[in-house]
Amino acid sequence: MTQATEKPRVVIMTVDDDPGVSRAVARDLRRRYGATYRIVRAESGESALQALRELKLRGDLVAVLMADHRMPQMNGIEFLEQAMDIYPSARRVLLTAYADTNAAIDAINVVDLDHYLLKPWDPPAEKLYPVLDDLLQAWHTGDHRPVPSIKLIGHRWSARSSEAREFLARNQVPYRWYSADEPEGQRLLSAAGQDGQRLPVVVTPDGTLLVEPDTRELAARVGLATTPATDFYDLIVIGGGPAGLGAAVYGASEGLRTVLVERSATGGQAGQSSRIENYLGFPDGVSGGQLTERARRQAAKFGAEVLTTREVTGLEASGAARIVRFSDGSAITAHSVILATGVSYRQLPAPGADELIGCGVFYGSALTEAASCEGHDVYIVGGANSAGQAAMHLARNAKSVTLLVRGSSLAASMSHYLIQQIEQTSNIQVRHDTVVEAAHGSGHLQQLTLRDTQSGHSEIVDAQWLFVFIGAAPRTDWLNETVLRDRRGFILAGPDLTPDGRPPADWELDRPPYHLETSIPGIFVAGDARAESAKRVASAVGEGAMAVMLVHRYLEQS
């Protein structure tokens, strides 16, 4: 008689760096829940994350995560934050001492903490089990079916593969990466009838095969919205960074038919940040991806449409209508428009760099590449907050991180808290007065030529990884002469439209332009694309909300 396959038990995980405490916690859990749940214990955050990844690969479910707050290298809050990306529906519990209750309260914002328990909890029948019973009951009422993931087969030094990974990751689309050089990747390529010459190859959950797909095709196949539901809206928001997401949330929540149009992925530059630590309400920091995903869910909850991979190429006014045109020739119309196109990093003016983009040279954090940097020497160009945040993130795994800064000091461009963190991180070196003169490599980055701007001396260093964060170029070229911009391309608004603060000569209304209103009534600007903006996440979100308030005022008077 064939023995029936045992159904895998749901996991409760406990993490504590003290072996004695770890065993005691696991013992208490097994007494009550061992017959129904599998109890897994770990003695460090890193080992616990590795165990979670293995559980995920096997298709196991995790109901509760319990982590001690005071652990070295990775404390309980940091562990729970990373564990959220692996098992987002698991209930999260922080184990604290009496002195750590403030940290536990702060963790409610950082990791959506479900509960915190004070140690010791004797007797467990009164102080531990009732809490876990409630959490387990809440977990069981949810939907925990595994999310089908996409298979992405590519090459480490393939620019197209890197682009596809970054696109899926930034749009929060679950996928599994397979290297075409490894046995499993080769097996999948063979099954798909591909020889690996054209990469990446994408296999969707329904078995659809995509070979070298562009982002538009990829978006449509993985369930991202790319086509507007209608052709007329109250508000069109162009750009999905913090300002655009803020505008979409407030516009939709206040009853406006709102659509947000994004050319690649929501989040903008902020969405690529490994950790934002000076954003209000997140004292322990929050990753740009997490902040972006929460904002996108908020916008969708209130009814805003979010379109991806739609490139806007034109904007015009026709009577009371504002028309937005796309690169494929289609268009949508609205009563009002908010321009939240943000900025992009300037290209590195170094011979050889353009040919190696995605093959060792990356603009922005490219967080999907961080794991591949383990044990390697990494170079970062830039001296502002985004470069500093990337340095701190990459330093966790890289052998060394070298910040290449054109200026003689970080103080003029980087927040004080980041400078302090960099100074206290032993494997981060800052080279001032240094620029990249050239990038070298065959198929991928292999060397850099660095020049000291003070002495003029140049040297060649071995390098496989270069992340570039230089300057901010507004994404406004497509506007042409539609609205007034300054000489650098940033959009002028309100009193900044003319030197004397008066309305432009062709302004058609009796009233002056509102604070964030451009030279065309009903078209507003918010965030980094606006001339003289603060270039901070908090101010961008605030401007997005303020722009919606002004849209209401405009619509009431139209």
Side-chain angles (χ1 to χ4, degrees), residues 3 11 13 56 92 147 152 200 218 227 232 240 256 297 306 312 325 332 350 410 421 451 472 495 499 507 519 523:
Q3 184 175 0
V11 171
M13 173 177 278
K56 190 75 170 183
R92 293 173 285 277
V147 178
L152 174 61
L218 194 54
T227 304
F232 195 89
L256 297 178
R297 290 204 312 266
V306 179
V312 178
R325 301 197 180 278
I332 53 177
L410 288 173
Q421 290 181 1
R451 178 170 58 86
W507 182 256
S519 54
I523 298 179

Side-chain angles (χ1 to χ4, degrees), residues 102-186:
N102 286 335
I105 293 169
D106 291 339
I108 294 171
N109 284 330
V110 180
V111 296
D112 294 334
L113 195 68
D114 293 291
H115 205 91
Y116 68 90
L117 288 170
L118 297 176
K119 300 188 297 182
W121 49 54
D122 287 333
E126 294 180 11
K127 298 184 179 180
L128 173 63
Y129 299 151
V131 172
L132 285 184
D133 288 346
D134 288 344
L135 293 177
L136 289 167
Q137 182 180 2
W139 182 86
H140 279 289
T141 60
D143 183 1
H144 308 294
R145 290 171 295 181
V147 178
S149 64
I150 293 161
K151 296 180 177 65
L152 174 61
I153 308 104
H155 191 275
R156 174 183 176 184
W157 300 122
S158 162
R160 293 285 295 271
S161 299
S162 177
E163 180 185 13
R165 290 180 70 185
E166 195 74 6
F167 176 79
L168 292 174
R170 292 190 60 199
N171 280 288
Q172 306 293 318
V173 177
Y175 75 96
R176 287 191 64 185
W177 164 258
Y178 299 88
S179 174
D181 295 335
E182 297 176 353
E184 184 65 12
Q186 293 170 359

